[in-house]
Amino acid sequence: MFETYLRLFLVFTKVALFSWGGGPASLALMQREVIAEGWSTPDDFATAIALSNAMPGPTAPQASAYVGYKVAGFWGAVFAVTGTVIPTTILVLIL
């Protein structure tokens, strides 16, 4: 199971580091990576985005939490959100 958590973290870290323009701009890359991993279908990912947009707060971490939870439960959501938020937070703190 730890391999799944690590994979979630790495995929969402990749999305966070290689997308430019904030959370909504990263959604296309996130969709491509999540579907390529077999974690979601296009319709299920659209549901994740719709729910993320309906809630207050940043869209990308909410969408990653949705996917992480669907893949590996609570801890999957934690690892996915951590992969989404931590890399860019560290870069901002360094700058």
Side-chain angles (χ1 to χ4, degrees), residues 7-79:
R7 190 72 193 142
L8 280 164
F9 177 80
L10 292 175
V11 166
F12 284 103
T13 296
K14 177 180 166 183
V15 170
L17 290 176
F18 292 106
S19 57
W20 182 258
S26 70
L27 294 178
L29 178 58
M30 185 185 296
Q31 179 183 21
R32 187 176 75 193
E33 294 296 322
V34 165
I35 291 172
E37 288 288 332
W39 293 335
S40 181
T41 64
D43 288 339
D44 195 34
F45 192 79
T47 300
I49 301 308
L51 290 173
S52 298
N53 282 325
M55 295 186 293
T59 304
Q62 292 172 351
S64 64
Y66 179 89
V67 172
Y69 187 81
K70 295 282 278 186
V71 170
F74 174 78
W75 287 109
V78 169
F79 276 82

Side-chain angles (χ1 to χ4, degrees), residues 77-94:
V78 169
F79 276 82
V81 170
T82 302
T84 302
V85 174
I86 292 298
T88 52
T89 302
I90 290 171
L91 286 174
V92 167
L93 290 174
I94 289 171

